[in-house]
Amino acid sequence: MTQQTDGPAATVTVTPEGISTVDGAATAPGFITATEVDRIPTLMAPTSGGGPVTAGLYFRVGAADETLATAGLTHLVEHLALHRHGVSDLHYNGSTAATHTHFVVSGTAEEVVAYLNGVCASLRDLPVERLATEREILRTEQAGRSRGPNHQLPLWRYGARGYGLASYPEYGTLHLTADAVRDWARTWFTWDNAVLWITGGTVPEGLDLTLPAGRRQPLPAPTSALPVTPAYLTGGSGGVVLDGIVRRSTAAALFAEVLGRALFTDLRQKGGYSYTADCGYHPRDNDHATITAFADALPQKQDAVVGGFIDVLARLRAGTISQAELDSARAKTLKQFEIPDLGAAALPSYALNVLTGHPNLTPDEHRAHLAAVTVEDLREVARELHDSALIQVPGRPVDWAGFTEAPQWSAPASDPAGTVHRSRQSDAVSLTVGPEAVTLVTPGGQISVRYDACAAMRVFPDGARHLIGFDAFVAEVEPTLYAKLTPDRMAVIDAAVPAAAAVPMPERDPDEIPQAAARRGGLKDRARGMLRSLRPGRG
C-alpha cells in the first residue's frame, strides 16, 4: 500500500489482490475508490438519494489481542474515546470485536467530521479521569448482557487466550491503571493500524484524524485447547450448538447457507423438534472462517434434536448435497448484488479486509467465484467442518457419532511435587502446592495449572486464589477447603505466578466463601468443570 504524497491524492481501486494505486479514474467507477486521510487508507463509495453520510473508522485491535488478565482493555479505550460525545441526537456507536474496534457514525457531513475528529482527539489524549466510572459502566454492561448459545465453545476450543477470551468476563476492567490504558491506545490506535470508510464521492472537509505512528498489527495466531477433533462436550442451555474451522472461501460461505437450510427443514419443518435451527459463517482471520450451527430444543425433544442434527451433518458429509440445494444458496447470495448503492453497502466489509490484508473481490469477480462453486466443493467443506468440529449437546454423550469427549482433566502427570493439603471434605481429594504448579487430585483425575502457563489468577481479599491456565482449566485454592493452607503456602503461589497475571477481585460476601461442612460431596463436580466458575460474556 502506498502512502499519499504531497499534491493531489492518487485514486485507487479495490482488487482481488487488495488495494493497488491507479493513475486517473478508478477502474471500477461507481463502486469503491480509495485515497488517504491523514495517512489513513480511506475507502469511498457513492450513494443515491442525497441521504446522510455514513462513515466508520476501523482499528486492527480487539479482544483476542489481550490477555485474560487484561481482558476488556480495548473495550475500555473504546468507551473512553466516545465519552466526550455525551448525549446527542447524532447516530453513532463504537464496538469491540475479537480482532477489530469500529467507530461508526451517520449524519450530515459536518456531524460526521465532528464525530471522527472527536474520536481521534480522545484517542490522542484519553480522558482517564473517567476510568473508574467507565469501569463500573462496563461491569454493569457485562452483567446485563445475554449470552449466545455458543458462548462456551471458544474457551473449549482455544483455551484462556486469544480467540478463547470471548468466553470470559472482562477481568481487566477490575484493575487496569490509567498508564496501562494510555499505553494500549498509543500502541494499537495508530494511523497505520487504521482504515476509514465513508459513503459519498468525496472526503468531507475539515477532517483531522491525526494519530500517533505505530505499525499495522498482525492478526492474533490461533491457539488450541483441543487435542482431538471432532470433539464434544455436554451441558449448556438445552439446545445443540456446533462450530468448526474451515478454509475461508466462497464455497464455505455457500455451505453454511446450505447447512442452515437443511437443519431448518429437518428439525423444524419436518420433525417439529426445534423452533430455531440456523447456521452462520464468520471469517476468523485471513485464511480461516468459523461455521457455527445451532438448534434449540425442549427437554423432551433433546434426544431427537441431537440425533437429527448429527444426521444432517452426516448426510452432507457423505456427499448427498443436491444441485438444487447449491443453486438455491447461490441464488440467495447473488441477490446481494441487486441492492441499490452496492458499493456503499459493501464499504464496511471491504474496509475490514483492507485492514487485515485480505484480498477484496469486485462484484463481477465475486459472481464468477459463486458460479464456479460445485457440489463437490460443498462436500469438501462439509468434511472440513466435521474434521474440526466441536459440538455441545444436552444430556448424553455423542461418542457413538464419532466425536471424542473434550478433555475434562489436565493431561496425566506423575505425583506432583510440593506440599500436599488434604481436602476437609474427602480423604480422596487433595491439593498440592508445588514450586512449578498447583495440582488438584481427585479420584476421577487431576487439574494442574503451571505458574508459567497461568492466564490469570483471581486474588480474593479473603485469601483465596483461583488459577486459570492457558488451557482453560481452573485450580481453585480455597483455604477454607484444604488443611494447612497457611499464609506462607499462599505466598509461594503469589511469588510464582507472574505479576501481570494477577487480577484483584472484589470482596466476597460471606456466603460466597465455600465452607467444607456446607459443600460435602460437591468438590469432585467443582473440579471437573473448566467452566464452573466462569461467567462468559463479550460485547
Side-chain angles (χ1 to χ4, degrees):
M1 185 177 299
T2 58
Q3 295 187 11
Q4 182 178 339
T5 58
D6 293 339
T11 302
V12 298
T13 185
V14 179
T15 71
E17 291 74 33
I19 289 218
S20 58
T21 301
V22 179
D23 292 330
T27 60
F31 188 54
I32 292 177
T33 58
T35 183
E36 292 179 353
V37 175
D38 291 323
R39 297 182 289 186
I40 297 174
T42 303
L43 304 189
M44 298 178 295
T47 56
S48 58
V53 176
T54 303
L57 182 61
Y58 277 115
F59 291 92
R60 220 309 290 144
V61 57
D65 298 294
E66 302 163 350
T67 68
L68 181 56
T70 64
L73 182 48
T74 309
H75 197 179
L76 189 51
V77 171
E78 174 224 311
H79 269 235
L80 290 171
L82 291 178
H83 163 67
R84 292 187 175 117
H85 290 280
V87 179
S88 171
D89 293 332
L90 182 65
H91 181 69
Y92 69 90
N93 199 7
S95 61
T96 302
T99 60
H100 63 266
T101 301
H102 194 198
F103 298 96
V104 66
V105 60
S106 184
T108 66
E110 293 76 14
E111 290 171 332
V112 167
V113 167
Y115 171 81
L116 293 174
N117 288 1
V119 166
C120 290
S122 290
L123 290 172
R124 294 192 301 267
D125 182 21
L126 285 173
V128 291
E129 68 277 4
R130 288 275 307 175
L131 188 57
T133 301
E134 293 299 337
R135 281 178 181 163
E136 293 303 308
I137 292 172
L138 289 181
R139 291 177 64 186
T140 303
E141 181 182 339
Q142 287 183 72
R145 184 184 300 125
S146 61
R147 299 179 292 175
N150 66 327
H151 69 275
Q152 293 182 346
L153 297 188
L155 75 85
W156 284 86
R157 179 177 291 280
Y158 299 108
R161 50 183 169 174
Y163 298 98
L165 297 185
S167 295
Y168 287 87
E170 293 179 334
Y171 287 130
T173 60
L174 296 172
H175 66 96
L176 290 169
T177 65
D179 286 343
V181 174
R182 288 194 192 98
D183 288 346
W184 192 257
R186 282 194 292 261
T187 301
W188 296 87
F189 290 85
T190 62
W191 66 262
D192 36 10
N193 200 37
V195 171
L196 173 69
W197 61 269
I198 307 172
T199 61
T202 60
V203 176
E205 294 184 1
L207 277 178
D208 179 8
L209 308 185
T210 304
L211 290 168
R215 67 184 181 95
R216 180 61 55 87
Q217 299 283 351
L219 288 163
T223 55
S224 178
L226 289 176
V228 177
T229 55
Y232 77 90
L233 60 133
T234 57
S237 61
V240 180
V241 60
L242 172 145
D243 72 11
I245 309 302
V246 299
R247 287 170 293 175
R248 186 172 171 179
S249 67
T250 301
L254 285 178
F255 174 79
E257 178 66 26
V258 169
L259 175 56
R261 292 183 179 211
L263 290 171
F264 184 85
T265 298
D266 285 18
L267 299 182
R268 176 168 172 169
Q269 292 185 319
K270 292 181 179 179
Y273 306 137
S274 295
Y275 176 76
T276 300
D278 205 358
C279 184
Y281 170 90
H282 303 285
R284 183 191 70 183
D285 51 44
N286 286 339
D287 298 318
H288 294 89
T290 303
I291 291 178
T292 304
F294 170 74
D296 58 7
L298 293 172
Q300 63 270 27
K301 299 285 188 179
Q302 287 178 355
D303 287 347
V305 170
V306 170
F309 194 105
I310 291 177
D311 284 347
V312 170
L313 294 174
R315 173 178 75 80
L316 300 183
R317 182 167 60 95
T320 54
I321 301 173
S322 70
Q323 185 66 43
E325 288 177 296
L326 168 57
D327 292 341
S328 179
R330 182 159 39 211
K332 179 180 178 180
T333 304
L334 283 168
K335 288 182 180 179
Q336 69 179 310
F337 300 107
E338 300 173 4
I339 64 173
D341 298 333
L342 175 60
L347 278 171
S349 61
Y350 271 57
L352 190 54
N353 282 344
V354 172
L355 184 70
T356 63
H358 186 270
N360 273 309
L361 300 176
T362 65
D364 286 344
E365 289 158 343
H366 199 166
R367 292 188 189 97
H369 278 229
L370 286 166
V373 175
T374 66
V375 168
E376 182 53 39
D377 292 331
L378 298 191
R379 292 169 181 157
E380 177 59 29
V381 176
R383 290 188 283 268
E384 281 188 78
L385 177 65
H386 172 266
D387 290 348
S388 65
L390 174 62
I391 188 171
Q392 182 173 9
V393 296
R396 293 179 290 182
V398 289
D399 44 4
W400 54 267
F403 292 82
T404 300
E405 186 177 25
Q408 304 294 302
W409 304 94
S410 300
S414 57
D415 291 339
T419 57
V420 178
H421 305 270
R422 298 296 178 187
S423 167
R424 300 183 189 276
Q425 297 173 280
S426 170
D427 290 338
V429 177
S430 65
L431 185 78
T432 299
V433 177
E436 297 181 349
V438 168
T439 302
L440 176 66
V441 180
T442 80
Q446 295 183 6
I447 287 179
S448 184
V449 178
R450 291 183 56 89
Y451 304 133
D452 59 4
C454 182
M457 179 175 70
R458 296 183 290 184
V459 179
F460 292 92
D462 54 67
R465 302 290 186 266
H466 294 178
L467 284 71
I468 305 170
F470 287 149
D471 57 7
F473 283 104
V474 183
E476 297 183 355
V477 185
E478 294 280 357
T480 55
L481 297 181
Y482 299 96
K484 299 180 180 179
L485 267 180
T486 56
D488 66 304
R489 299 314 299 156
M490 303 302 288
V492 169
I493 299 174
D494 289 344
V497 172
V503 178
M505 300 296 292
E507 184 175 352
R508 296 188 286 187
D509 290 334
D511 58 359
E512 292 179 328
I513 301 173
Q515 301 297 327
R519 304 182 69 86
R520 190 175 306 278
L523 187 59
K524 182 176 178 180
D525 290 335
R526 282 165 53 81
R528 291 189 72 252
M530 284 193 285
L531 309 172
R532 178 208 166 274
S533 59
L534 304 177
R535 296 188 57 80
R538 179 71 65 185

